[in-house]
Amino acid sequence: MKHLIFQTNNTWTGTLLRWAIGLVFIPHGLQKTFGLFGGMGWAGTMDLFTENLHLPYIVACTVILVEFLGSISLLLG
């Protein structure tokens, strides 16, 4: 079973899927983090998450950072 989980294929499919998902996620992360692409930026997004959606500060911060850093991590592989 362990072999099936950690098995890798010698194809470009995984790389192309990772890049596609990373390219979709990166504008969303940049909107929330820096306000690019018509986004609200860090302060606006934190205000939305904490005041309107009533999320704790640490959860809102984690959501923003995961979306931004996760997309970069996907692109880097």
Side-chain angles (χ1 to χ4, degrees):
M1 184 67 167
K2 184 178 175 183
H3 173 69
L4 292 174
I5 294 172
F6 294 109
Q7 176 184 359
T8 59
N9 298 330
N10 198 14
T11 64
W12 285 94
T13 307
T15 303
L16 293 176
L17 287 174
R18 245 188 7 256
W19 286 353
I21 293 170
L23 288 174
V24 168
F25 280 176
I26 203 157
H28 293 274
L30 289 173
Q31 283 179 332
K32 289 177 179 67
T33 308
F34 299 113
L36 300 175
F37 303 107
M40 295 184 289
W42 184 272
T45 305
M46 287 298 288
D47 186 50
L48 173 76
F49 284 169
T50 56
E51 299 297 324
N52 295 349
L53 299 178
H54 305 291
L55 292 174
Y57 179 83
I58 191 72
V59 172
C61 182
T62 303
V63 167
I64 295 170
L65 291 177
V66 163
E67 196 162 346
F68 176 63
L69 296 175
S71 63
I72 292 173
S73 298
L74 279 170
L75 290 174
L76 294 177

